[in-house]
Amino acid sequence: MVDLTVKGAALAAAAAGDFSGLPVYAPDVECAPRERIRAIQLEKLKAQVAWTYGRVAWYRERMDALGVAPGDIRTLEDVRKLPFTDKGVLRETFPYGLFAVPLSEVKELHASSGTTGKPIVVGYNAHDMDVWSDCIARLAQMAGVVPGDRAQMAFGYGMFTGGFGLHYGLMKLGCMMIPAGSGNTERHIAMIEDYGTTVLIATPSYALHVCEVGERLGFDWEASTLRVGLFGGEPCPPGLKAEIERRMHIVCTDNYGLTEVMGPGVSGECLASRDMQHIAEDHFLWEVVDPETGEPVPEGEVGELVLTPLDKQAIPVLRYRTHDLTRVVREPCACGRTTARMQKVRSRCDDMLIIRGTNVFPSQVEDVLAGIEGVTPHYRIVVDNETGLDRMSVHVELKPEAFSDSYAEMDAFRASIAEKLKGVLLVGVQVKLVEPGGIERTTGKAKHVEDLRRK
């Protein structure tokens, strides 16, 4: 059995492949036979469609136009009879057009940033809040978090779902919450030391920044009480995760969610399957479809993730197109859970760059850089067409030991990085080497791409 009271126990369990001492938050569902999980999903899907049809005019009109009634949903595959929903629908019905309950029953509102137009507004009634916190408690337990842990929040507490979502769920699990909020990195480090923080909630890029600042201040991460990092808000490449775990002496896991379907809590990473995340299947019905046709892809193949929340009352959403690319498998996991697992989202249908006719994803750049000694996980992609042709530059931040006084050596290093990128991206790129700390850090989502092309 694993002793959960010592620093690094979760990481030790993962290294040893022994998960017998790690608790499961809801074993009756998370470890249920597949037939039982599908039965739960079907029962809830029927009820959710009936709830939505009866209370939301937008869906009722679309279903009537398709000739689909709630009674037509008899199997899980019948979900394909329902209309898709996307971000445009929530903007079209802004702010309350998709709400299914009186506003007097709504306990909390959250919203996206709205930087590209009207924000996405969602609401939660008491039932929704309970489901949300349950999903978060579940994924936190997967990561090795236990009741009594001291969880320090480095997300902001505004309209963004991440901060409050993780806060509520960790409290439900029985953790002490330290609502530090975003920013003021030196203060975060002092609080870890002063309060004996054991869990840090942050974006992975900010967690690495906290690590770097702590190292400059002489903070001893190995001797600290911190043992678990709960990451979200942006993708966490394997190389970045490995670097944080090595330098901070903690175990890090990712979780996935999006404002439109609930917020964080859709899926979470256990300690046995480091590149996959267990979906809370009793709360979310998943599909993986071809982004172009909307038709399902064969199981295990990559496609666009489509989600139907099965327990959402205040603002129900049917077949939401996430634009996130992933694949899903249903094989049992070594951790003992039987819920389906989705591969961590590294790219989206809509973050693809087309450079001189070639499709390029930022995740491809991350993967190449992760395999190059002497570079940090921080990078920036800049695209322009000032010359009339698309040009792509990759700004690569170097570690101190990678610098040389020899211009020839540095230019050769730069050229080798460019050659490796071209071999994977199949398009030539310019590489610019940046000194340590030269890529801007952020407390929120890291912005990796700047597209300056004139349309």
Side-chain angles (χ1 to χ4, degrees):
M1 297 290 286
V2 176
D3 181 1
L4 295 171
T5 64
V6 300
K7 176 179 171 69
L11 190 57
D18 174 15
F19 308 98
S20 58
L22 301 178
V24 177
Y25 183 77
D28 55 326
V29 174
E30 295 181 78
C31 302
R34 290 298 310 169
E35 296 77 12
R36 172 62 180 153
I37 292 174
R38 286 178 61 84
I40 293 171
Q41 289 181 314
L42 181 56
E43 180 182 359
K44 288 188 173 185
L45 176 64
K46 291 178 178 179
Q48 188 73 6
V49 171
W51 172 276
T52 305
Y53 182 88
R55 291 171 176 255
V56 183
W58 190 93
Y59 281 111
R60 185 164 56 250
E61 293 168 3
R62 298 320 185 270
M63 288 175 63
D64 286 347
L66 293 170
V68 179
D72 295 329
I73 307 302
R74 300 184 180 92
T75 69
L76 289 179
E77 288 68 31
D78 287 337
V79 72
R80 298 172 195 161
K81 299 177 180 179
L82 301 171
F84 283 118
T85 312
D86 61 19
K87 191 169 292 190
V89 174
L90 281 89
R91 288 180 173 145
E92 171 191 332
T93 56
F94 174 87
Y96 302 128
L98 290 187
F99 278 51
V101 300
L103 294 181
S104 59
E105 295 181 16
V106 175
K107 300 298 183 183
E108 195 160 299
L109 280 183
H110 283 279
S112 67
S113 61
T115 54
T116 58
K118 285 288 188 182
I120 302 303
V121 175
V122 296
Y124 305 77
N125 65 2
H127 168 84
D128 298 335
M129 297 293 288
D130 187 57
V131 169
W132 194 15
S133 59
D134 180 82
C135 288
I136 297 295
R138 190 181 299 186
L139 69 83
Q141 192 98 88
M142 287 183 203
V145 181
V146 294
D149 266 320
R150 303 170 193 175
Q152 185 165 317
M153 178 65 67
F155 285 153
Y157 277 96
M159 298 296 281
F160 167 58
T161 55
F164 281 106
L166 271 296
H167 187 114
Y168 297 141
L170 287 162
M171 284 185 65
K172 186 169 186 175
L173 181 60
C175 299
M176 174 202 293
M177 288 307 301
I178 304 171
S182 61
N184 201 332
T185 303
E186 292 189 13
R187 177 170 162 267
H188 268 290
I189 295 166
M191 293 171 79
I192 291 171
E193 184 171 30
D194 293 341
Y195 303 146
T197 302
T198 57
V199 179
L200 178 66
I201 304 101
T203 62
S205 55
Y206 186 63
L208 181 58
H209 180 57
V210 172
C211 175
E212 292 171 338
V213 172
E215 289 171 344
R216 289 200 297 270
L217 295 174
F219 187 76
D220 187 347
W221 288 111
E222 186 173 10
S224 80
T225 53
L226 197 66
R227 63 184 189 83
V228 176
L230 285 179
F231 295 159
E234 65 185 19
C236 182
L240 176 57
K241 174 186 288 186
E243 180 166 357
I244 295 171
E245 289 186 333
R246 175 180 58 81
R247 292 167 65 176
M248 296 185 83
H249 300 274
I250 61 177
V251 60
C252 307
T253 65
D254 297 334
N255 60 80
Y256 172 81
L258 58 164
T259 300
E260 297 88 331
V261 301
M262 184 179 69
V266 172
S267 66
E269 176 190 350
C270 74
L271 298 177
S273 183
R274 303 308 304 278
D275 190 45
M276 305 291 283
Q277 298 175 332
H278 289 272
I279 302 172
E281 287 192 277
D282 52 324
H283 297 306
F284 300 94
L285 181 63
W286 56 269
E287 304 169 70
V288 181
V289 306
D290 184 310
E292 299 295 331
T293 68
E295 293 299 314
V297 302
E299 182 164 342
E301 291 193 9
V302 173
E304 179 184 355
L305 181 66
V306 175
L307 294 171
T308 298
L310 299 173
D311 277 300
K312 222 176 173 199
Q313 292 186 351
I315 179 168
V317 180
L318 302 178
R319 301 194 78 197
Y320 187 79
R321 299 192 66 156
T322 67
H323 298 303
D324 290 326
L325 298 175
T326 187
R327 65 184 184 92
V328 177
V329 298
R330 292 187 245 207
E331 292 89 354
C333 181
C335 73
R337 293 174 179 84
T338 54
T339 47
R341 289 171 290 157
M342 57 179 279
Q343 191 167 38
K344 293 179 189 178
V345 172
R346 297 284 308 283
S347 57
R348 293 172 49 83
C349 308
D350 54 4
D351 75 357
M352 182 178 71
L353 296 165
I354 301 178
I355 310 296
R356 300 192 294 279
T358 301
N359 298 340
V360 175
F361 289 97
S363 58
Q364 294 174 294
V365 175
E366 290 176 356
D367 290 340
V368 172
L369 297 181
I372 299 176
E373 193 71 30
V375 304
T376 76
H378 303 290
Y379 71 94
R380 190 170 185 80
I381 298 170
V382 180
V383 183
D384 68 56
N385 58 2
E386 291 181 0
T387 63
L389 294 174
D390 291 341
R391 295 186 304 184
M392 177 174 164
S393 299
V394 180
H395 298 210
V396 178
E397 183 180 292
L398 298 184
K399 296 178 179 178
E401 60 269 24
F403 267 106
S404 168
D405 292 333
S406 168
Y407 173 82
E409 288 182 9
M410 297 305 297
D411 192 55
F413 188 34
R414 180 201 59 75
S416 70
I417 296 174
E419 189 64 25
K420 290 177 181 178
L421 286 169
K422 183 179 180 180
V424 171
L425 305 180
L426 304 180
V427 64
V429 302
Q430 295 179 328
V431 170
K432 297 184 178 180
L433 303 182
V434 180
E435 70 277 3
I439 301 292
E440 182 182 3
R441 309 303 196 250
T442 176
T443 59
K445 294 184 181 182
K447 183 180 179 182
H448 292 301
V449 179
E450 186 174 10
D451 195 337
L452 305 176
R453 287 177 288 190
R454 295 189 294 270
K455 304 300 183 183

